[in-house]
Amino acid sequence: MFIVEETIAGADAVQIPKQRGESLLDTAVRYAEERHWDVFPGTWLESVEGVQRCSCGDAACPAPGAHPARPDWAAQATGSATVARRMWQKQPDASILLPTGRTFDAVSVPETAGFLALARMERMELTLGPVTVTPDRRTEFFVLPGASAKVPDLLRRLGWSSSLDLVVLGEGAYVAAPPTRVGCRGAVQWACRPTAVNRWLPDVEELVSPLAYACGRDR
């Protein structure tokens, strides 16, 4: 069983996952049941001669244990807690992946820019949705769906070029959810965990200015 990593920051309230050591199965079910997020099981880590390898069999896998296990993953994703439980019962070690472009999009920026933006957003008293930090040093801000269509024009209107390291994950993409581990690099963690307060997600228009500013500073 994987150990749920400590939350980096966030409000004290109902949280997912609720306790250290909660199984991936229980956590996936809670995402579907409490947040109404679609979930699907990805690959998992296997020990091969003492080395953690991805279940896909590729020794050079770029995201070991944290990518879709089958090509039809989009059709496999479910918002049903019952179906999610059944899928993880078949493979309890499978990573927890969340398709974007459905109940949320995700804005991905470098980790340093993400924490700079978080501090700026706090000063601006902006309402945030959940935010993750990944082992490959990216910060992912959950926003309302449709962000990918809005961001290019928003950046132009704010005077920022498209060369900023700011990527919107929408339809056809996915994010790995805590406590998914990515090989030996560590686990995905919450910077702002899901709570009753942030059940309603912000529109990307509310966050794009501090995110773009932070990415500009981080270059």
Side-chain angles (χ1 to χ4, degrees):
M1 182 183 298
F2 292 112
I3 301 298
V4 177
E5 300 290 331
E6 291 285 0
T7 299
I8 295 173
D12 291 329
V14 177
Q15 66 189 60
I16 300 174
K18 280 187 174 176
Q19 54 188 320
R20 293 181 64 85
E22 190 171 30
S23 71
L24 289 161
L25 182 155
D26 290 337
T27 305
V29 168
R30 290 165 60 76
Y31 287 144
E33 193 169 60
E34 298 186 8
R35 299 300 290 202
H36 305 294
W37 289 340
D38 283 5
V39 299
F40 67 98
T43 54
W44 57 93
L45 295 173
E46 298 175 334
S47 182
V48 179
E49 297 180 351
V51 178
Q52 292 289 299
R53 296 279 179 84
C54 185
S55 62
C56 72
D58 182 359
C61 179
H67 64 85
R70 40 194 277 187
D72 64 341
W73 62 264
Q76 184 189 23
T78 180
S80 164
T82 301
V83 175
R85 182 176 298 278
R86 192 180 307 134
M87 289 194 294
W88 266 272
Q89 282 174 337
K90 292 179 181 178
Q91 182 46 255
D93 293 331
S95 53
I96 303 173
L97 304 180
L98 312 175
T100 51
R102 300 187 182 187
T103 51
F104 64 87
D105 281 0
V107 182
S108 174
V109 299
E111 182 182 277
T112 51
F115 281 106
L116 177 62
L118 282 170
R120 191 173 178 84
M121 290 172 187
E122 183 177 359
R123 291 194 298 272
M124 296 169 70
E125 298 184 346
L126 294 178
T127 301
L128 294 176
V131 181
T132 64
V133 178
T134 71
D136 57 352
R137 304 185 69 82
R138 304 289 295 183
T139 311
E140 297 171 339
F141 292 74
F142 289 23
V143 296
L144 288 172
S148 55
K150 295 180 178 181
V151 163
D153 184 56
L154 288 171
L155 291 176
R156 281 194 297 270
R157 283 160 46 192
L158 290 168
W160 293 101
S161 72
S162 58
S163 63
L164 290 178
D165 189 1
L166 186 156
V167 180
V168 182
L169 303 172
E171 187 174 358
Y174 62 89
V175 296
T180 294
R181 298 194 73 85
V182 184
C184 61
R185 301 174 212 164
V188 182
Q189 301 180 61
W190 291 115
C192 294
R193 53 196 166 183
T195 69
V197 176
N198 64 19
R199 183 171 295 278
W200 304 107
L201 299 176
D203 191 287
V204 71
E205 291 187 42
E206 302 170 50
L207 307 186
V208 70
S209 179
L211 283 171
Y213 172 80
C215 287
R217 284 280 304 274
D218 191 51
R219 287 192 295 189

